[in-house]
Amino acid sequence: MDPRIREHAETIVDHSIELEAGDDLVVQMPTEAADLAAAIHELAGDRGANPVFLNNDDRAQRAFMRARGDDFETPEHQLALFEEADAFVIARAGGNVAEKSDVDPETTAAYNRAFRPVQRERLSKRWCLTQYPTRGHAQLAGMSTDAYENFVWDAVSLDWEEQGEFQAEMVDLLNDADEVRIRSGEGTDLTMFIAGNTAINDVGKKNLPGGEVFTAPVKDSVNGEVHFDMPLYRQGREIEDVRLRFEDGRVESFSAERNEDVLEGVFDTDEAARYLGELGIGMNRAIDRFTYNMLFDEKMGDTVHMAVGSAYPETVGEGNEVNESAEHVDMIVDMSEDSVIELDGEVVQRDGTFTFEEREAE
C-alpha cells in the first residue's frame, strides 16, 4: 500500500473526525478506494471504534434511479444507521465520473428530496468528505494518473494548523461585517448581508482537503447578478457559464451556455434551492489548478464560490433563518482579475490578493 494512503487515513481518523474508542463509524466509498477503506478500518480497530462499510457505487445507484423514475421513498433503514452512528466518512473515487450522466434531472431531484432526512441526520454527526485519486478523476482533470495522485496527496496533507492561522484573519473580517459585495468583470455585482451569521475556518475537518472560509447569507438579502465563469461537473455533465439574477434572496432568472436543463433541475428540486445557502472564499494556495472536482476547485485561492440550496446550520446565527433544501450546489467565480470583495464598503481582496497579505508583504 502506498504510504500516503495510510497518512491520508490517519488524517481523516485523527484530525477530521477525531475518532474515539467506542465510536460507531460508517465508512462509505467505492471499491476503487478499497485501500483507503482498509486503512481506515485498521485504524478504527487500533482506536477501539466500530466501523460499518457501505459500497458507494455510482453504477448501482444509476441503475436504481433509472428504474425507479421519480417515485422515491426515504430509506428508513439507512436513516436508522446514521441515527445510531457517531461519525461518517465518504470518499469520492468512482472509475467513471460520467456514470450518472443519463439520469434525468427530475429523477435526481426526486431522489434528493427523498434522501434529505438521511442527509440531515448524517450532517449532524462528525463527518468527513474526501477524495481518493482514480484514473477517472485524473482524466477529468486532464492529468496523468501519477500527477493526479501527487496533486491529491499534496492537497490533503497540508499543515492544517498553519493553514488555519492564515485563514483566521478572513474569518475575523467576515464576523465583524454586515454586508458583502462581490464584483468581478462585467457579469458579477452581487450584495448580501451576513450580519448575525458565523464564518467558519475550514481546516480539513468536514472537507479534506480544506482551505476555505465560509458563511451563510441572510436568506432574503441577496441582490444583483453573478456570472460563474468556472464550470461545474454535476450528474456526469459539465455546466458552463452559469448566470444568476437574485432579487430579495431568490434566483429570479438563470441561464447556462451548456446543460442548462441540469441547472433547471436543481432549481426545481424545492423552493429553497433558489436561495443561497453558502458564501465561500477559497484560500488554499496548494490547489493551483482547476480539476472539475468541486471538493478541490472551491478551495483554490483567487476564487469565491456560492452554493444554492441548504445552509450549514452552524453558520446561521440565532434569529436568522436556516435555508433548508435537498440541494447544495456550489458554483465558482474566478477572482484573479478585475475583481474585488468588499465588506461594509471596504475592499478586503483585489484581484485575488487579500489586503492583509499586502500588509504582511510590506
Side-chain angles (χ1 to χ4, degrees), residues 91-109:
R92 294 176 176 171
N96 179 4
V97 296
E99 188 66 65
K100 293 187 285 187
S101 60
D102 56 357
V103 177
D104 191 280
E106 293 182 359
T107 297
T108 299

Side-chain angles (χ1 to χ4, degrees), residues 167-176 194 196-202 212-216 279 281 314-317:
Q167 295 171 180
E169 188 154 358
M170 193 65 219
V171 172
D172 291 340
L173 289 170
L174 286 170
N175 282 334
D176 289 340
I194 57 172
N197 287 347
T198 301
I200 303 295
N201 193 346
D202 172 24
E212 64 170 300
V213 173
F214 65 96
T215 188
L279 167 67
I281 299 171
E314 61 267 33
T315 64
V316 180

Side-chain angles (χ1 to χ4, degrees), residues 48-269:
N50 310 305
V52 171
F53 180 70
L54 302 180
N55 189 339
N56 185 27
D57 186 271
D58 282 345
R59 185 181 178 194
Q61 189 178 40
R62 169 194 175 273
F64 169 67
M65 293 172 73
R66 284 172 57 88
R68 192 67 183 256
D70 59 1
D71 181 24
F72 295 96
E73 299 176 356
T74 298
E76 297 292 338
H77 58 308
Q78 191 172 2
L79 176 60
L81 175 64
F82 287 109
E83 287 174 342
E84 294 299 322
D86 297 299
F88 170 73
V89 177
I90 185 170
R92 294 176 176 171
N96 179 4
V97 296
E99 188 66 65
K100 293 187 285 187
S101 60
D102 56 357
V103 177
D104 191 280
E106 293 182 359
T107 297
T108 299
Y111 175 83
N112 288 341
R113 286 193 295 270
F115 192 77
R116 176 59 178 159
V118 179
Q119 181 191 47
R120 187 184 298 112
E121 186 64 34
R122 193 172 70 186
L123 294 179
S124 72
K125 305 302 172 75
R126 305 196 309 274
W127 60 273
C128 176
L129 167 64
T130 191
Q131 177 73 42
Y132 184 86
T134 63
R135 293 179 180 179
H137 281 92
Q139 186 175 30
L140 183 64
M143 302 170 70
S144 69
T145 302
D146 286 348
Y148 187 68
E149 287 178 352
N150 292 334
F151 170 80
V152 171
W153 302 137
D154 288 347
V156 300
S157 60
L158 289 185
D159 182 331
W160 293 112
E161 182 177 354
E162 180 180 344
Q163 182 68 25
E165 291 174 356
F166 168 61
Q167 295 171 180
E169 188 154 358
M170 193 65 219
V171 172
D172 291 340
L173 289 170
L174 286 170
N175 282 334
D176 289 340
D178 291 333
E179 184 184 59
V180 181
R181 184 181 183 186
I182 297 168
R183 293 184 285 128
S184 182
E186 297 181 357
T188 296
D189 191 347
L190 196 71
T191 60
M192 65 186 73
F193 284 95
I194 57 172
N197 287 347
T198 301
I200 303 295
N201 193 346
D202 172 24
V203 291
K205 293 285 189 178
K206 294 180 178 179
N207 278 185
L208 189 63
E212 64 170 300
V213 173
F214 65 96
T215 188
V218 174
K219 182 174 180 179
D220 61 358
S221 72
V222 185
N223 284 285
E225 298 180 348
V226 57
H227 174 209
F228 295 105
D229 50 0
M230 304 183 79
L232 68 145
Y233 207 76
R234 181 172 175 81
Q235 296 172 218
R237 298 164 69 184
E238 182 180 359
I239 309 174
E240 291 183 336
D241 282 327
V242 173
R243 296 177 186 269
L244 307 181
R245 181 175 60 83
F246 289 87
E247 291 183 11
D248 297 328
R250 189 178 189 274
V251 174
E252 294 297 341
S253 65
F254 63 89
S255 66
E257 289 297 316
R258 186 179 182 191
N259 289 320
E260 185 177 294
D261 62 317
V262 179
L263 186 65
E264 184 176 10
V266 170
F267 291 131
D268 287 346
T269 301

